[in-house]
Amino acid sequence: MKVPLYFLTMKNTSYINTSPESSFAQHFHILGKKCSSLDISTNLLYCILCFSFKTVTLILLFPYEQVDGNPVPAIIFKGLPSTFHAFLLSIVMAFSGAFNALMLATNKPKIAKFCSYYSMGFMASAVVLLFWAVFQTVFNLR
C-alpha cells in the first residue's frame, strides 16, 4: 500500500495505521462480508449526509423567482413557497441528524440513535415533500 507524502513528513509515524481494514472506503463496501446492523445504519447515515448535501448544492443552481420577497426555485417548487421552505427545513434537519449521529456514535450511543431516527424521519418527509411538489407541478394542480 502506498503511503501519502504528508504521512512521511510527520515526526512520529509509529501510530499511523495504513491497513486496508482502517480505510475510509470500508464504510461503503459492505458486499461480500458479514454486516452488522451498525454497519448498515452507518451506511444509511452516510447516504443521508451525502444526499442532503448534494440536494442543497443542486438547489443553489436552480433559477429562482421571488414570491412574497422569498426566493423559490422556478423549476420544481414554482408557486409553492411554503412547500419549498418545509423541504429545505427537512433537508437541513436530516443533514444535522445524520452528522450528529455519526459524530456521537462512539461516545453517546443513545443520543446517536435518537439523532439517526430523526434524521431518517426528516429525510422521509423531504422525499414526500419533493414528490408532492413534483406532482403539483406536473399536473398543474395549484
Side-chain angles (χ1 to χ4, degrees):
M1 174 183 233
K2 188 173 179 179
V3 177
L5 290 176
Y6 63 88
F7 275 49
L8 300 176
T9 59
M10 297 176 73
K11 292 181 181 177
N12 185 7
T13 59
S14 62
Y15 64 92
I16 297 173
N17 186 0
T18 59
S19 67
E21 290 81 24
S22 67
S23 68
F24 181 74
Q26 79 176 359
H27 296 292
F28 296 103
H29 300 290
I30 60 172
L31 298 175
K33 67 178 185 178
K34 194 173 186 180
C35 296
S36 67
S37 63
L38 181 63
D39 290 336
I40 294 170
S41 67
T42 302
N43 285 333
L44 181 63
L45 290 172
Y46 275 125
C47 290
I48 289 173
L49 196 69
C50 293
F51 180 74
S52 59
F53 182 76
K54 289 177 184 180
T55 301
V56 170
T57 305
L58 284 174
I59 286 175
L60 292 174
L61 300 175
F62 289 163
Y64 284 88
E65 65 180 9
Q66 293 291 330
V67 177
D68 297 330
N70 295 319
V72 177
I75 295 175
I76 298 172
F77 295 97
K78 185 173 184 166
L80 302 168
S82 59
T83 306
F84 174 63
H85 294 136
F87 175 74
L88 275 183
L89 181 68
S90 296
I91 290 292
V92 168
M93 293 300 288
F95 179 85
S96 66
F99 185 77
N100 287 335
L102 290 171
M103 292 295 113
L104 296 173
T106 56
N107 297 332
K108 306 280 185 183
K110 289 182 181 180
I111 296 173
K113 190 176 232 182
F114 172 74
C115 290
S116 67
Y117 287 149
Y118 86 72
S119 175
M120 288 183 251
F122 275 110
M123 185 53 73
S125 68
V127 169
V128 167
L129 286 168
L130 180 66
F131 284 149
W132 187 77
V134 168
F135 181 77
Q136 293 286 321
T137 304
V138 168
F139 294 111
N140 292 325
L141 298 176
R142 10 178 177 92

